[in-house]
Amino acid sequence: MNDHEMKMFEGRMTVIADSEIKSIVPEFIKEWKEDVITMRHALDLGDYETIRSISHRMKGTGATCGFDALTDLGTDLLECTKRMNKHAIAKLLDLLSSYLEKVNIVYR
C-alpha cells in the first residue's frame, strides 16, 4: 500500500454494520487489537507464517462484519508476507492499529 492508498484508507473510518451483530462487534475489535500485538511480535521474530495466518482470518471476518477496510488491510498484509517485506508490514500494522482505535461504527 503506497502513501496515497494509505491516505484514502484513513478516510474510511465509519463502518455501517447490521444491528444484529452489535453485541459481538466490541469483542471483534478487542480481538483484532490483540491480533495487531501478536503480529508485531511475530514480525520482530521474523515469523511471517503467523502474520499470514492472522491476516487471512482478518481478511475474511472483516467483510463479514462490514469492515471492508479491514479486509483490504488483511489482503495487503497477505501480499507483504509473501514478499517478507518487514517495512511494509510494519506500516500496515501501524495503520491497522490506528484504524481500530478511531473507527466509528454506525448500526442500521
Side-chain angles (χ1 to χ4, degrees), residues 55-108:
S55 58
H56 184 268
R57 181 171 34 86
M58 187 177 292
K59 176 183 168 185
T61 59
T64 302
C65 297
F67 290 78
D68 295 336
L70 194 64
T71 294
D72 294 344
L73 276 171
T75 300
D76 290 344
L77 281 165
L78 279 171
E79 287 303 313
C80 289
T81 59
K82 289 177 187 174
R83 295 187 307 273
M84 291 192 255
N85 186 334
K86 187 173 185 172
H87 178 71
I89 292 169
K91 285 178 78 172
L92 287 167
L93 291 175
D94 288 345
L95 186 58
L96 175 57
S97 181
S98 177
Y99 172 78
L100 292 171
E101 291 299 325
K102 296 176 183 177
V103 66
N104 176 42
I105 306 161
V106 177
Y107 297 96
R108 56 176 161 88

Side-chain angles (χ1 to χ4, degrees), residues 38-72:
T38 300
M39 288 189 286
R40 286 186 195 280
H41 182 69
L43 186 61
D44 289 343
L45 298 174
D47 180 2
Y48 294 98
E49 180 56 30
T50 294
I51 299 166
R52 187 206 62 75
S53 176
I54 292 171
S55 58
H56 184 268
R57 181 171 34 86
M58 187 177 292
K59 176 183 168 185
T61 59
T64 302
C65 297
F67 290 78
D68 295 336
L70 194 64
T71 294
D72 294 344

Side-chain angles (χ1 to χ4, degrees), residues 7-59:
K7 288 195 184 307
M8 287 176 50
F9 170 78
E10 289 172 354
R12 297 168 53 191
M13 294 296 204
T14 297
V15 170
I16 309 288
D18 193 314
S19 60
E20 290 181 11
I21 66 166
K22 186 175 185 174
S23 64
I24 62 171
V25 168
E27 186 60 30
F28 274 129
I29 298 286
K30 179 181 176 244
E31 288 176 14
W32 290 327
K33 287 178 180 180
E34 291 169 359
D35 285 344
V36 171
I37 293 167
T38 300
M39 288 189 286
R40 286 186 195 280
H41 182 69
L43 186 61
D44 289 343
L45 298 174
D47 180 2
Y48 294 98
E49 180 56 30
T50 294
I51 299 166
R52 187 206 62 75
S53 176
I54 292 171
S55 58
H56 184 268
R57 181 171 34 86
M58 187 177 292
K59 176 183 168 185

